[in-house]
């Protein structure tokens, strides 16, 4: 474990040093994130301005869900996009060969090699929105703590699904659009799951678990979810993480290196 932590520190320090050569990009990313959040808030406001509300969700509670979505989006842009989207390139260009020869887990290398600070504005804006919504709702520090475990599970769930989508490139080289489809489905998480018709709620809970990404952490902070659902989120996260590793190992059996 200590060796992997040293490797991770080396990866991220190198990646940050490289990215900071283009510091103006951080300002542009911040403006883009602010514009995206403003657009999302405006879209949410259009629902609530006439007195309409999503079933069981007040205006501040819906803002809490949007804040969690924005935070998750920032974490994805920082950790997942610069790494998992490149799995397809590694397979296409044959550079996956060099990854497999390294004395560390190939899944670890592919998942952590790079780091993009341009997702940090989304992460910070998400925290601000969560804090603002929580203040309106009178949430205590303990309430926030209740939402941390489900939020951590949501990150693991999203990572696992994304990594498995990227692993499909072993068989289907032009699989990039599939990861974009996944990102598009995750966009549904910007609203509470009750905003969707019954059929979509089932789909976004049991097929593509979008509800576990944003709605469940918000409900945990609001003390709405029973322990059964929180245990289910933890079990799903652990199961998908294990499955992503097994699926990657299975996929590598069919990988034909560039040198063969």
């Amino acid at each position: 474990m200590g060796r992997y932590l040293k490797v991770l520190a080396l990866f991220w320090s190198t990646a940050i040093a490289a990215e900071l050569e283009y510091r103006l990009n951080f300002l542009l990313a911040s403006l883009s994130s602010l514009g995206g959040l403003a657009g999302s808030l405006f879209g949410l406001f259009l629902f609530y301005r006439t007195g309409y509300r999503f079933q069981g969700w007040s205006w501040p509670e819906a803002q809490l869900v949007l804040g969690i979505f924005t935070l998750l989006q920032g974490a994805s842009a920082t950790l997942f996009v610069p790494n998992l989207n490149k799995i397809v390139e590694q397979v296409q260009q044959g550079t996956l060969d060099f990854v497999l020869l390294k004395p560390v887990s190939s899944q670890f290398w592919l998942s952590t090699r790079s780091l993009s600070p341009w997702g940090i504005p989304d992460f910070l804006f998400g925290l601000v929105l969560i804090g603002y919504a929580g203040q309106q709702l009178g949430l205590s520090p303990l309430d926030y703590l209740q939402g941390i475990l489900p939020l951590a599970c949501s990150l693991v769930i999203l990572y696992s699904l994304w990594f498995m989508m990227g692993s499909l490139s072993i068989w289907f080289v032009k699989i990039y659009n599939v990861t974009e489809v996944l990102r598009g489905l995750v966009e549904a998480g910007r609203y509470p799951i009750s905003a969707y018709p019954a059929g979509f709620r089932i789909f976004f809970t049991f097929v593509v678990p979008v509800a576990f990404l944003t709605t469940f952490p918000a409900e945990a902070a609001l003390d709405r979810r029973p322990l059964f659902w929180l245990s289910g989120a933890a079990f799903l996260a652990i199961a998908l993480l294990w499955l992503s590793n097994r699926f990657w190992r299975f996929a590598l059996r069919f990988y034909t290196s560039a040198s063969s």
Side-chain angles (χ1 to χ4, degrees), residues 58-79:
S58 65
W59 167 244
E61 291 169 345
Q63 286 179 296
L64 181 63
V65 174
L66 180 58
I68 292 174
F69 171 81
T70 306
L71 187 150
L72 194 65
Q73 187 172 251
S76 298
T78 302
L79 297 172

Side-chain angles (χ1 to χ4, degrees), residues 180-202:
E180 290 302 305
V181 169
L182 176 63
R183 292 180 66 183
L185 290 172
V186 171
E187 288 287 324
R190 70 175 65 244
Y191 301 122
I193 200 66
S194 62
Y196 302 98
F200 284 94
R201 289 201 295 268
I202 294 173

Side-chain angles (χ1 to χ4, degrees), residues 98-260:
F98 301 106
V99 177
L100 298 177
L101 291 173
K102 296 184 183 301
V104 294
S105 163
S106 57
Q107 182 173 358
F108 172 82
W109 197 98
L110 291 169
S111 302
T112 62
R113 177 63 184 85
S114 188
L115 182 75
S116 174
W118 316 133
I120 293 177
D122 270 330
F123 187 86
L124 295 178
F125 289 145
L127 287 177
V128 170
L129 186 56
I130 290 170
Y132 175 73
Q135 186 178 32
Q136 290 181 294
L137 294 166
L139 297 183
S140 67
L142 180 60
D143 293 324
Y144 286 115
L145 286 175
Q146 289 181 165
I148 288 179
L149 176 59
L151 184 58
C153 291
S154 71
L155 285 168
V156 174
I157 290 170
L158 182 58
Y159 160 77
S160 301
L161 292 174
W162 206 324
F163 188 81
M164 285 190 283
M165 291 296 101
S167 301
L168 290 174
S169 60
I170 298 291
W171 294 282
F172 312 102
V173 178
K174 297 184 181 298
I175 201 69
Y176 179 77
N177 289 337
V178 173
T179 59
E180 290 302 305
V181 169
L182 176 63
R183 292 180 66 183
L185 290 172
V186 171
E187 288 287 324
R190 70 175 65 244
Y191 301 122
I193 200 66
S194 62
Y196 302 98
F200 284 94
R201 289 201 295 268
I202 294 173
F203 178 79
F204 286 134
T205 302
F206 300 106
V207 181
V208 180
V210 173
F212 285 90
L213 302 183
T214 57
T215 300
F216 285 10
E219 289 180 324
L222 295 169
D223 201 20
R224 289 183 182 175
R225 278 288 165 184
L227 183 61
F228 168 78
W229 281 101
L230 299 181
S231 302
F235 174 79
L236 180 63
I238 294 171
L240 285 176
L241 184 62
W242 177 83
L243 183 61
S244 70
N245 179 261
R246 302 308 301 177
F247 187 73
W248 175 246
R249 291 172 179 268
F250 174 74
L252 286 179
R253 297 179 186 176
F254 299 87
Y255 175 66
T256 303
S257 69
S259 60
S260 61

Side-chain angles (χ1 to χ4, degrees), residues 39-76:
S40 297
L41 280 171
F42 179 72
L44 193 61
F45 171 74
L46 291 179
F47 286 103
Y48 281 85
R49 67 185 179 87
T50 58
Y52 172 83
R53 55 185 286 173
F54 298 134
Q55 183 181 358
W57 292 87
S58 65
W59 167 244
E61 291 169 345
Q63 286 179 296
L64 181 63
V65 174
L66 180 58
I68 292 174
F69 171 81
T70 306
L71 187 150
L72 194 65
Q73 187 172 251
S76 298

